[in-house]
Every structure is written in structure tokens, then in C-alpha cells.
Amino acid sequence: MTKIRAAITGIEVFVPDYILNNKELEKMVDTTDEWIMTRTGIKERHILKGEGKGTSDMGAEAVKALLKKKNIDPSEIDLVICATVTGDMQFPATANIISDKAGIKNAFSYDLNAACSGFIYALVTASNFISSGKYKKVIVIGSDKMSSIVDYQDRQTCVIFGDAAGAVLLEPTTEEFGIMDHAFGTDGSGRIHLHQKAGGSVKPASHATVDAREHYIYQEGQAVFKFAVTKMGDISLQVMQQNNLKPEDISYLIAHQANLRIIEAAARRTGLPMEKAIINIERYGNTTNATIPLCIWENESKFKKGDNIILTAFGGGFTWGAIWLKWAY
Ligand code: UT7
């Protein structure tokens, strides 16, 4: 039987207008543009402003733009998966709210949480629905309003994160394009280094948790850094090796944009030159589930049909993974 693969056939993003630059952060916490640039490579990040605006608003804008660009009626969409760590609410799923806002009525939808690896986990999940032969048009969204869980009194984390959303359309192909292979890993013991302390079932919200500032991101930067470097590099290499791909066969490396130094180290471990690594962290910071779609979107016109692209991510959990993608258009 002919194998059905899932190919990315379109992408759109939403980036909020408001720009929070390093100079402004210098006024908020004890930091400098020089420190932030040297340690992270980030110059500015976009922040979603406006009362009552959340992750679904950015996701819905990206989806509406995608449907328009592809000239697709919302009723044609079969499935919507949203990767996020900053859902509008604990429940229902933000994917349901996005579908509602984008006029998608014939799809089922749900969220997927694998922290910063969420978007690539969602891509593979969606690709399996397509490969089953039952689903023809699936939208995967990576959307995070990180500013809603960033403590702007904590200089270690507030300089890193930004807000954005991206949405891709996946469609079936019987040609040798699309999502070709992947490798994923998870280590739950890593949760101690990166998490949100309160607001879940273990420690529901209370006056005490708010007073203790426990509803924000808690990150032990150095510990996460060490794992991110090794895991993104090694898993990318694993995907390349299991498909006999040499560094010269790879056109682009798209790594989760958490820190420029992590991307450089990951590229080194895979034997790929930095010219092949797509970088935009300087202008967006770490937008969690939106970093990879932002990189794809910015370079869409540069990609050629058949380009071998490695997508790789590392995030809270710990979670990590890599996908071998053959660009389909
Ligand atoms: O996307 C999810 C996965 N997350 C990641 O991949 C993030 C991984 N971690 C990192 O990117 C880095 O660890 C950070 C950017 C978070 C921090 O960089 P670092 O080079 O690991 O710095 P550090 O935590 O070792 O801190 C070095 C110094 C410390 O001061 P002392 O103890 O040497 O006096 C910090 O207090 O820098 C200080 N520091 C700052 N100084 C100015 C920490 N944050 C800042 C700041 N401005 N914003």
C-alpha cells in the first residue's frame, strides 16, 4: 500500500505589535542590554497587550490568516491541535476557542502540552492522523502568551520570553515529501529545574501562592542550559543518522529559539555550520511553542521543494525531540 505522509502546505503567524526592548527592561530590573545580548542573543520581544486578550486571540489570528492565504473554507478543516503552556484557561482547550474564533465548525480539537517541544510533538501527532488516511486537512498551532506567566521582577527569566503564535496546515501526500521521521525523548525528573509552582492540582491558587509569586515561570537557567545543549544536538544527530543523512544533505537546522548559545552548541554537535541554522531570537526572544513556526514562516520563500530540514526543540518536562522534514513546496 502507498504510504501517506503529512506535508506542511502553508504557514502563517501572528506577532503582537508591542515591542519590549532591552533598554526598557533595563528600567524594570537590574540588567543591561550587553548582558542580555551576550548571554542570550535577544534584543527585543513582542508582548500581547489588551485586557482580555490571550493565547487563543493570537492563535486565531494566525489560523484566519492561514485559511485566507490558502483560500480554504474553515468547514474543510478536520482537526486542530494547539501546542501551548499558556492556555486561555485551565479548561477548555485553547484549540477549541481558536476553532470557534476562526469559524472552524467541522473539526475536533484539543491542546497538547510538551512545553517548548510542544509544537514538534503536535506536528508528529497530527502527521499520524493524516497518515491514517482519515484526515485531509489538519491545523497545528503553536501559541504562547508567555508574558502572562513571566515575573517582571525576576531578571533571570523576564529578559528571555516573548509572545507570538504560528499555525501550519498539514495535508496528505504520497510523494517523498513532508514529515519523514522523528525522534523524541522525555525525562520527567527534569521538572524540578523548570516549572510553574502553583495553579495546578498539587497547589491550587490561593492568596499564599499569589503572595509567594508562584504563578510565574521558575527556571534554574544553568541546569536547563546544559540539558538543552546536549539533548537538542544529540537527538538531531540521531534523526540524521537513522536516515543516513550527512550534514551536507541538510539545508537548514531550525532549533527552538531559547538562547543563541544553545543553538550554536546544538549546531556544532550535529556537524552543521551556523550558516544553516535559522536564527531570529534577536527579534522575538523565546516564544515557547511559536519559535519554530516563526522561523519557518520567515524563511518560507527561501525554502525549495525537497530541502531537508531538521526541526529540533528542548523544553520543560524535560522534553526534547527532532523531526526530519522534506519541504514540500
Ligand atoms: O525554552 C525552554 C528552555 N529554556 C532554556 O533553554 C534556557 C536555558 N538557560 C539559559 O538560556 C541561560 O542559563 C540563561 C540565559 C537563563 C542565563 O544565562 P547564564 O549564562 O546561564 O547565566 P547564570 O544564570 O549563570 O547567571 C550568571 C550571572 C549571575 O550572577 P553572579 O551569580 O555570577 O553574580 C546572575 O545573577 O548573571 C546574573 N544574571 C543577570 N545579570 C544581568 C542573571 N540574569 C541576569 C540579567 N541581567 N538579566
Side-chain angles (χ1 to χ4, degrees):
M1 222 171 73
T2 327
K3 184 168 171 51
I4 304 170
R5 293 183 198 281
I8 293 178
T9 54
I11 178 151
E12 267 301 335
V13 303
F14 176 82
V15 178
D17 293 332
Y18 185 84
I19 294 174
L20 174 60
N21 62 29
N22 291 350
K23 285 282 158 211
E24 200 178 334
L25 279 166
E26 283 179 0
K27 293 181 211 144
M28 297 160 67
V29 286
D30 181 15
T31 191
T32 59
D33 173 50
E34 204 258 328
W35 190 96
I36 305 170
M37 275 305 281
T38 325
R39 300 291 181 124
T40 70
I42 303 167
K43 191 98 208 154
E44 57 191 38
R45 61 295 284 145
H46 292 249
I47 304 294
L48 182 68
K49 298 276 185 186
E51 184 108 9
K53 293 278 178 206
T55 293
S56 73
D57 295 289
M58 296 191 294
E61 288 308 314
V63 169
K64 283 191 270 182
L66 176 64
L67 292 171
K68 193 167 168 218
K69 180 175 175 180
K70 295 294 296 176
N71 197 21
I72 290 172
D73 191 89
S75 63
E76 292 176 52
I77 303 301
D78 302 311
L79 162 64
V80 176
I81 304 175
C82 179
T84 187
V85 297
T86 52
D88 282 17
M89 305 172 188
Q90 280 274 21
F91 72 92
T94 298
N96 308 354
I97 306 171
I98 292 173
S99 295
D100 182 44
K101 289 179 176 170
I104 295 171
K105 302 256 184 259
N106 295 333
F108 73 104
S109 55
Y110 61 92
D111 289 354
L112 186 153
N113 183 348
C116 295
S117 308
F119 182 77
I120 61 169
Y121 279 33
L123 269 187
V124 169
T125 307
S127 102
N128 285 323
F129 278 102
I130 298 240
S131 295
S132 75
K134 198 167 169 186
Y135 302 92
K136 308 285 184 232
K137 286 186 169 45
V138 177
I139 290 181
V140 172
I141 303 147
S143 183
D144 272 304
K145 183 184 170 186
M146 294 308 290
S147 61
S148 65
I149 55 166
V150 164
D151 183 353
Y152 287 98
Q153 293 181 13
D154 174 14
R155 67 176 184 174
Q156 296 194 41
T157 50
C158 75
V159 301
I160 298 172
F161 295 98
D163 304 338
V168 295
L169 180 68
L170 291 175
E171 292 182 275
T173 176
T174 48
E175 293 183 297
E176 287 285 296
F177 297 108
I179 293 166
M180 306 297 288
D181 195 16
H182 70 276
F184 288 158
T186 299
D187 178 359
S189 69
R191 70 190 181 281
I192 56 167
H193 303 297
L194 179 52
H195 57 264
Q196 194 176 328
K197 292 195 181 298
S201 57
V202 167
K203 212 185 230 197
S206 67
H207 281 294
T209 61
V210 172
D211 290 344
R213 308 186 78 75
E214 288 181 339
H215 293 272
Y216 297 118
I217 300 161
Y218 171 83
Q219 176 169 263
E220 293 161 10
Q222 277 188 14
V224 180
F225 189 97
K226 274 186 216 136
F227 275 98
V229 164
T230 345
K231 294 297 185 188
M232 281 209 297
D234 290 356
I235 202 98
S236 300
L237 203 55
Q238 185 187 323
V239 167
M240 286 163 63
Q241 283 168 349
Q242 69 200 23
N243 293 286
N244 292 318
L245 292 164
K246 305 265 170 305
E248 54 272 27
D249 300 321
I250 306 298
S251 302
Y252 301 101
L253 173 72
I254 302 183
H256 168 55
Q257 311 277 299
N259 186 317
L260 181 58
R261 290 184 293 142
I262 297 176
I263 304 168
E264 285 167 347
R268 253 195 317 275
R269 280 180 102 86
T270 57
L272 286 163
M274 270 311 275
E275 303 85 78
K276 291 190 176 180
I278 288 177
I279 316 270
N280 62 19
I281 190 169
E282 186 171 338
R283 285 170 289 118
Y284 302 110
N286 180 349
T287 55
T288 303
N289 283 290
T291 63
I292 290 177
L294 278 173
C295 287
I296 298 176
W297 172 73
E298 283 201 326
N299 293 278
E300 187 190 16
S301 60
K302 200 163 92 182
F303 296 159
K304 291 191 295 294
K305 192 168 180 177
D307 274 348
N308 290 313
I309 302 173
I310 300 290
L311 310 179
T312 184
F314 179 86
F318 290 138
T319 57
W320 61 93
I323 291 176
W324 167 32
L325 182 73
K326 219 176 218 319
W327 194 247
Y329 61 97

